[in-house]
Amino acid sequence: MSEATGESNDILNRLAAVLEARKSQSPDSSYVASLYAKPDKMLEKIGEEAVETIIAAKNNDREQIIYETADLWFHTLVMLAQKGVQPDEILDELARRFGISGHDEKAARQKG
C-alpha cells in the first residue's frame, strides 16, 4: 500500500460528500452540477472514460491507465451520487462477493 493510499483510505466517502454538496450549486459554477443538470451527458462521460481506459490498457500505458481509470471512477461516482447510491454500498457488495467464485456468484444472480 502506498503512503498516499494509507492517507486517503476514506477518499471515496470524502469525494461522495463533495459530490452531494455540488447538487445545490449552479451548473455554471460547478462541473459536477453541470453533469447533474444533463444526466445523458453524465452517462456519455462514463462511456467515454471507459473507452479511454480500454485504449490505455490496450496500449500498455500504465500512467494513462491510472489517469483514465481515475476519470472513469470519478464520473461513475457522480452518477452514483445523482442516483443516491453511496460508495460504501458498492464496497459492501464487493465485500459480499469476496471469496466467492465469479462463476458461482453470476449463477446465483441468474437464479435469483
Side-chain angles (χ1 to χ4, degrees):
M1 179 185 314
S2 74
E3 185 175 318
T5 302
E7 292 173 3
S8 303
N9 61 358
D10 67 340
I11 190 67
L12 290 177
N13 291 323
R14 291 175 29 214
L15 183 54
V18 170
L19 296 177
E20 187 65 31
R22 296 294 191 266
K23 288 181 178 180
S24 62
Q25 293 192 346
S26 166
D28 295 330
S29 66
S30 165
Y31 173 68
V32 171
S34 74
L35 291 173
Y36 289 144
K38 296 182 179 179
D40 287 349
K41 178 67 175 169
M42 178 187 349
L43 298 176
E44 287 173 16
K45 284 299 294 182
I46 293 170
E48 174 188 318
E49 299 304 342
V51 168
E52 291 173 357
T53 301
I54 291 165
I55 291 168
K58 285 184 66 84
N59 291 337
N60 292 316
D61 187 331
R62 189 175 194 289
E63 280 187 38
Q64 279 303 111
I65 291 168
I66 293 168
Y67 182 86
E68 297 301 345
T69 300
D71 282 351
L72 175 59
W73 287 14
F74 174 80
H75 288 90
T76 301
L77 287 167
V78 173
M79 179 271 300
L80 291 172
Q82 193 259 344
K83 300 296 183 186
V85 177
Q86 295 296 312
D88 284 344
E89 294 177 80
I90 307 302
L91 295 174
D92 288 347
E93 177 60 17
L94 289 172
R96 183 191 70 77
R97 295 180 187 186
F98 191 79
I100 299 172
S101 159
H103 295 296
D104 292 345
E105 195 279 329
K106 184 176 180 180
R109 273 188 286 147
Q110 290 172 347
K111 291 177 185 175

